[in-house]
Amino acid sequence: MMQLKHHSDEELIALFVNQDEQEAFTLLYQRYLPFVIGICMKYLKNKEDSEDVALQIFQKLYEKILKEQATIQTFKFWLYTVT
């Protein structure tokens, strides 16, 4: 995973989609889990619920990225919209 750490979000998405690189998705998860929890906190006002929903979002993202890779311009913006 150390080799992937310096890749951009878009490079990680390409690796995940085109080469079935699971570590790339894991790295995106690690990078953005706090971001998604923060968005959830804004709406749910409860940390435990926000963490649960964030995990559910990432489970759905796994499939969604595979289907929508071509439409993802900026991952963080896309992730915010999906969340």
Side-chain angles (χ1 to χ4, degrees):
M1 184 145 5
M2 279 308 244
Q3 297 173 352
L4 297 179
K5 201 169 199 168
H6 301 291
H7 284 66
S8 70
D9 297 339
E10 290 71 24
E11 290 170 329
L12 291 173
I13 291 168
L15 285 169
F16 172 61
V17 172
N18 300 324
Q19 297 178 20
D20 194 30
E21 182 64 59
Q22 301 301 308
E23 288 182 20
F25 183 82
T26 300
L27 191 52
L28 287 169
Y29 170 83
Q30 290 172 345
R31 280 184 190 175
Y32 288 101
L33 182 62
F35 175 71
V36 173
I37 291 172
I39 295 168
C40 293
M41 282 288 294
K42 179 180 173 184
Y43 294 100
L44 300 175
K45 310 281 192 247
N46 178 293
K47 187 172 184 192
E48 283 184 21
D49 290 345
S50 296
E51 289 170 349
D52 290 343
V53 170
L55 292 176
Q56 291 172 15
I57 288 168
F58 272 98
Q59 288 172 342
K60 291 184 182 195
L61 279 181
Y62 192 90
E63 294 293 322
K64 203 163 186 63
I65 288 173
L66 294 172
K67 292 178 184 172
E68 298 183 21
Q69 183 222 2
T71 65
I72 301 171
Q73 300 287 323
T74 305
F75 180 72
K76 189 172 185 176
F77 176 75
W78 178 84
L79 178 59
Y80 180 84
T81 303
V82 170
T83 300

